[in-house]
Amino acid sequence: EDNDHDNILMDNVADLVGAFAKTCGVAIAQTHLPQFIDAMLKFSKASRPGSDRAMAVGMFGEIFQHVKAHAAPFIPALLPVVITGLQDNSAGVRRNAAFCCGVMALASPETVAPHYLTLLQHLHPLFQMDPTLHAAVIDNAAAAVARMMTASLASMPTAQVLPVFLGCLPLKDDMNENEAVYACLAGLIEMRHPDAMAPDNLPNILHAVAASLAIEEVDDELKGRLVTSLATCCKDAEAGPLVQTAMSLIPPESSAALLPHLQ
């Protein structure tokens, strides 16, 4: 390929492939996925411009999101690409690598979970980026962690991860990632995970849930799941007092948003 290829054309091709994967799902995995991956790997190399690398890594994530478990055979070869992408100088590449990281974990937990500590090591610097300049990168890092927890919670050092994850909620820029984030939170509340119910974390969870009630991209079903799980906790002899204490520690507007759903 010519290094001076038309970037607009390539972006359109990436969008088309993503739409194709969404429409065809499993069918694309059974017919064209190896060819797509081989073609896009060329654009993920360090010698390519940042826009090419971001496009390639983002396309891997888009495709894997739709083919799900059928992505498993390709993940071992692409994990190094994603890990490299998380360290890229381009914020766009790092953002898309974070997205791909979480999607791969959901697609094949048994393949990706053994690499969680390495992935978390390279995701952590994304949370430390300037939120006024890189809010979308931070949002995608948070969603990656959420998907990883959803895929294999037992493989996550939740005591260390949750404070960082909760500290960047609610999301600031990439609202499409709210579903992954709040589905993860709902699961943690439903199981009354010890680290989620910890005094340092529960107020932040309540604040995030309160914020979700005003977020358009969080659908009514997920909002209902969140508040129902909290209401159930309130009725529990052990969890109830923890929720009540945490409610007293969140901003008044957050408490006011939640109270009608917990009574």
Side-chain angles (χ1 to χ4, degrees):
E1 289 83 7
D2 186 350
N3 286 335
D4 296 324
H5 66 271
D6 188 333
N7 285 332
I8 296 177
L9 174 61
M10 294 309 299
D11 286 343
N12 288 337
V13 170
D15 291 341
L16 178 62
V17 172
F20 186 37
K22 183 176 182 179
T23 302
C24 299
V26 174
I28 193 175
Q30 297 173 335
T31 55
H32 303 297
L33 192 52
Q35 295 93 319
F36 279 139
I37 289 177
D38 286 344
M40 296 316 301
L41 277 172
K42 300 173 184 177
F43 293 93
S44 69
K45 294 180 180 178
S47 58
R48 289 287 187 173
S51 58
D52 283 3
R53 301 195 303 274
M55 174 198 66
V57 176
M59 185 181 293
F60 296 144
E62 288 289 340
I63 292 174
F64 289 176
Q65 188 174 37
H66 299 300
V67 304
K68 303 185 187 304
H70 293 274
F74 308 97
I75 288 176
L78 289 178
L79 265 173
V81 175
V82 171
I83 291 171
T84 299
L86 291 173
Q87 305 168 75
D88 200 281
N89 291 328
S90 164
V93 178
R94 297 174 85 179
R95 173 184 179 179
N96 287 354
F99 170 70
C100 193
C101 172
V103 169
M104 289 196 307
L106 282 180
S108 184
E110 65 280 3
T111 304
V112 180
H115 303 277
Y116 269 18
L117 293 183
T118 298
L119 292 170
L120 289 170
Q121 175 187 348
H122 295 299
L123 281 167
H124 187 260
L126 274 62
F127 288 96
Q128 300 174 319
M129 296 176 74
D130 186 343
T132 63
L133 299 175
H134 301 295
V137 180
I138 298 171
D139 289 351
N140 276 262
V145 169
R147 289 186 172 101
M148 290 166 69
M149 284 194 281
T150 299
S152 182
L153 186 59
S155 302
M156 290 290 280
T158 49
Q160 291 75 39
V161 168
L162 275 180
V164 178
F165 169 65
L166 296 171
C168 63
L169 302 184
L171 302 184
K172 308 300 188 297
D173 186 271
D174 194 340
M175 297 295 105
N176 290 326
E177 294 294 64
N178 273 301
E179 181 179 352
V181 166
Y182 283 104
C184 172
L185 282 185
L188 291 172
I189 298 167
E190 287 167 347
M191 70 175 65
R192 299 171 197 170
H193 191 282
D195 290 324
M197 304 303 289
D200 290 340
N201 292 328
L202 189 54
N204 289 330
I205 289 177
L206 296 181
H207 176 61
V209 172
S212 77
L213 301 178
I215 297 174
E216 181 179 347
E217 289 80 6
V218 180
D219 63 35
D220 290 342
E221 182 179 351
L222 182 50
K223 289 175 182 175
R225 183 182 167 196
L226 286 161
V227 295
T228 297
S229 62
L230 281 177
T232 302
C233 284
C234 288
K235 298 174 183 176
D236 181 78
E238 183 175 348
L242 298 176
V243 175
Q244 290 177 3
T245 300
M247 285 286 286
S248 69
L249 299 175
I250 63 177
E253 60 272 21
S254 297
S255 179
L258 286 177
L259 274 175
H261 303 280
L262 305 183
Q263 295 174 341

